[in-house]
Amino acid sequence: MTDQHDSYAESRAAYAAACRLLPGGVNSPVRAFGGVDLGPVFIESAKGARVFDVDGREYIDYVGSWGPMILGHAHPEVVAAIHAAADKGTSFGAPTQAETALAERIVGAMASIEKVRLVSSGTEAVMSAVRLARAFTGREMIVKMAGCYHGHSDSFLVAAGSGVAEQGTASCPGVPRALAQLTVVAPYNDAAAVRAAFERHKNRIAAVLVEPVAANMGVVPPAAGYLETLRRLCDENGTLLIFDEVISGFRVAFGGAQERYGVRADLTCLGKIIGGGLPLAAFGGRAAIMEHLAPTGKVYQAGTLSGNPIATAAAIATLDLLARPGCYERLESLGAALESGLARAAARAGVPLTINRVGSILSGFFCDRPVRDFADVQATDIARFKRFFAEMLERGVYLAPSAYEAMFVSLAHTDADIGRTVEAAQASLKAVARAIRL
Ligand SMILES: Cc1ncc(COP(=O)(O)O)c(C=O)c1O
Ligand SMILES: N[C@H](C=O)CCC(=O)O
């Protein structure tokens, strides 16, 4: 914590205590606020679209636990489902009917999924889907896109987004070189680079793995035809297309990016929203592929807490609420209002800002050009983002503390929240403009 004012005294003390016992004082790197050169705000509680810190400050929240809280925090129906499940026992390590009920909802929502396996984190979902793809195709290489983040398992910590991008490392110490060499990296939105990878590594690529809407280098939408071309290249080469919809699933449409863009994946990874704020994730696809998983097949995948009854109850409650008519229209209109308000504020302040938005996720990049891939993101003015972040925090708006993350709008945000956020942005961008002129 460097710049922060005394009104963050409790957060500062909590961070010092945490640093004595937890590496970097946190349990996930981006939470440490290193991406904005500040110390973290420690959270006491959250309700609806608000989070409250240990110093008693209130913020309009656009982190939403990095995506899961699409209904807002502590939604009464989700909390009631959690209580009811907890009363019946917290974990059995045995099958429950609720897991089938959740699977029915996922299969009903995602056109490409016939069977699904529940896991506890997005990392596990992607790691397991790729193992399955490797076994199914009998190949070892994967293609991933620069700036996409797929969790922290070894194969994906290569040119990754999110907190890895913040650290500025191309790869990660501890990842065996032999494994990293099996990951081929292509720029996002560059189908020609993927085609070239297929030519270079003929019959060796098991899967093309992509965030169909990239959201871990800030939000970068797929260019027209990009996902379709990936689909065609995979079909031509006997390779599986894996959509990592851990963020986009149930976010950019109920049926995820696959519904929004009309392109089907062979395997789909889900997380965040489907856990309703509890540790639950999933991967799924055609039965003919999924049946290769143990116990029907030989591809081993397991989890003591997989399909945990409390997480499953939160998941069902969340998906049932999201299935109600009007949710995605409302998310779209809130997202559009925030986008246009931010654009207006930037224009008034004379600060170049490129806004990328898909439904209720968006990012403002401090630059005057379109942002289509990770190189574009890296060329933006990160110092301006840091200043903007600090100004917004001071004005009670809690953004993701990194230029490589998205803003998440929830159904709990009101028009008044968006209005207050735009007002805060107007003042914050004026401060950024003053700093530019200095
Ligand atoms: C697209 C994507 N895939 C995978 C993951 C990993 O999920 P988790 O953090 O639950 O392991 C994340 C976020 O962390 C993500 O944004
Ligand atoms: N960008 C990450 C996931 O989407 C942020 C969450 C984390 O790494 O703690």
Side-chain angles (χ1 to χ4, degrees), residues 231-302:
R231 176 68 277 168
R232 203 181 53 250
L233 288 170
C234 285
D235 290 342
E236 287 167 5
N237 289 280
T239 293
L240 297 188
L241 179 60
I242 305 180
F243 277 178
D244 180 349
E245 296 228 43
V246 166
I247 285 182
S248 59
F250 297 98
R251 166 64 68 177
V252 301
F254 192 67
Q258 301 182 54
E259 176 185 323
R260 194 167 180 122
Y261 297 100
V263 178
R264 289 189 188 189
D266 296 301
L267 289 172
T268 300
C269 305
L270 298 164
K272 300 204 188 251
I273 288 173
I274 59 161
L278 274 78
L280 187 144
F283 63 102
R286 290 195 302 282
I289 304 174
M290 293 300 288
E291 289 294 351
H292 286 260
L293 283 178
T296 38
K298 288 193 168 4
V299 182
Y300 202 72
Q301 196 287 325

Side-chain angles (χ1 to χ4, degrees), residues 28 66 120-126 148-152 162 211 213 215-216 244-248 269 271-272 280-281 405:
S28 197
W66 306 94
S120 301
S121 72
T123 297
E124 268 185 87
V126 183
C148 285
Y149 177 70
H150 303 289
H152 63 90
S162 189
E211 286 181 75
V213 175
N216 281 290
D244 180 349
E245 296 228 43
V246 166
I247 285 182
S248 59
C269 305
K272 300 204 188 251
L280 187 144
E405 306 284 353

Side-chain angles (χ1 to χ4, degrees), residues 199-216:
E199 282 160 13
R200 224 171 29 254
H201 305 287
K202 220 166 178 36
N203 299 326
R204 294 190 64 203
I205 298 175
V208 170
L209 171 64
V210 67
E211 286 181 75
V213 175
N216 281 290

Side-chain angles (χ1 to χ4, degrees), residues 233-436:
L233 288 170
C234 285
D235 290 342
E236 287 167 5
N237 289 280
T239 293
L240 297 188
L241 179 60
I242 305 180
F243 277 178
D244 180 349
E245 296 228 43
V246 166
I247 285 182
S248 59
F250 297 98
R251 166 64 68 177
V252 301
F254 192 67
Q258 301 182 54
E259 176 185 323
R260 194 167 180 122
Y261 297 100
V263 178
R264 289 189 188 189
D266 296 301
L267 289 172
T268 300
C269 305
L270 298 164
K272 300 204 188 251
I273 288 173
I274 59 161
L278 274 78
L280 187 144
F283 63 102
R286 290 195 302 282
I289 304 174
M290 293 300 288
E291 289 294 351
H292 286 260
L293 283 178
T296 38
K298 288 193 168 4
V299 182
Y300 202 72
Q301 196 287 325
T304 302
L305 293 177
S306 292
N308 171 269
I310 304 177
T312 303
I316 291 172
T318 299
L319 297 193
D320 286 352
L321 286 161
L322 283 175
R324 292 181 184 172
C327 287
Y328 288 87
E329 289 79 357
R330 175 73 183 147
L331 286 164
E332 185 70 42
S333 92
L334 286 166
L338 183 56
E339 177 186 1
S340 62
L342 291 176
R344 239 182 1 260
R348 279 197 194 140
V351 176
L353 189 73
T354 296
I355 302 174
N356 283 353
R357 178 178 72 85
V358 180
S360 56
I361 47 175
L362 65 157
S363 292
F365 298 98
F366 286 88
C367 67
D368 56 6
R369 289 186 307 276
V371 175
R372 289 170 42 96
D373 63 18
F374 194 36
D376 291 340
V377 176
Q378 287 173 311
T380 65
D381 193 326
I382 304 292
R384 287 183 194 175
F385 172 80
K386 290 179 183 178
R387 179 66 190 260
F388 179 65
F389 174 87
E391 296 285 341
M392 291 293 272
L393 192 71
E394 229 8 78
R395 291 176 175 82
V397 180
Y398 186 72
L399 304 176
S402 163
Y404 301 103
E405 306 284 353
M407 288 176 82
F408 294 93
V409 179
S410 78
L411 286 165
H413 285 94
T414 61
D415 296 333
D417 290 332
I418 302 293
R420 273 193 52 195
T421 304
V422 170
E423 270 172 36
Q426 215 143 328
S428 300
L429 287 162
K430 279 188 188 149
V432 172
R434 279 195 298 277
I436 297 172

Side-chain angles (χ1 to χ4, degrees), residues 7-236:
S7 55
Y8 297 96
E10 283 295 325
S11 273
R12 211 192 304 268
Y15 186 41
C19 284
R20 287 194 282 278
L21 295 169
L22 307 171
V26 291
N27 287 306
S28 197
V30 286
R31 296 179 195 176
F33 277 39
V36 286
D37 300 337
L38 296 170
V41 167
F42 273 59
I43 302 299
E44 179 72 29
S45 66
K47 182 74 189 156
R50 296 286 190 286
V51 289
F52 304 90
D53 73 12
V54 289
D55 287 284
R57 294 169 65 106
E58 171 180 334
Y59 306 89
I60 303 175
D61 178 26
Y62 290 100
V63 178
S65 188
W66 306 94
M69 311 318 303
I70 193 166
L71 299 170
H73 295 280
H75 189 287
E77 289 181 46
V78 178
V79 172
I82 290 170
H83 281 162
D87 281 343
K88 294 205 261 173
T90 55
S91 184
F92 315 125
T96 61
Q97 288 171 312
E99 290 159 74
T100 311
L102 175 56
E104 263 169 17
R105 285 160 174 78
I106 294 172
V107 168
M110 299 268 164
S112 66
I113 300 184
E114 290 172 354
K115 289 205 165 184
V116 66
R117 168 70 49 97
L118 303 182
V119 295
S120 301
S121 72
T123 297
E124 268 185 87
V126 183
M127 178 186 80
S128 307
V130 167
R131 181 183 305 142
L132 179 58
R134 283 176 163 148
F136 184 77
T137 57
R139 302 173 181 181
E140 291 193 334
M141 299 189 82
I142 56 167
V143 175
K144 85 172 278 289
M145 313 309 160
C148 285
Y149 177 70
H150 303 289
H152 63 90
S153 81
D154 286 349
S155 291
F156 317 123
L157 287 177
V158 180
S162 189
V164 190
E166 194 181 279
Q167 291 183 344
T169 46
S171 188
C172 175
V175 173
R177 185 174 307 176
L179 194 59
Q181 281 168 349
L182 295 176
T183 303
V184 178
V185 179
Y188 191 76
N189 271 332
D190 185 349
V194 177
R195 187 176 298 114
F198 275 118
E199 282 160 13
R200 224 171 29 254
H201 305 287
K202 220 166 178 36
N203 299 326
R204 294 190 64 203
I205 298 175
V208 170
L209 171 64
V210 67
E211 286 181 75
V213 175
N216 281 290
M217 48 177 143
V219 174
V220 181
Y226 175 61
L227 299 176
E228 290 83 346
T229 308
L230 294 184
R231 176 68 277 168
R232 203 181 53 250
L233 288 170
C234 285
D235 290 342
E236 287 167 5

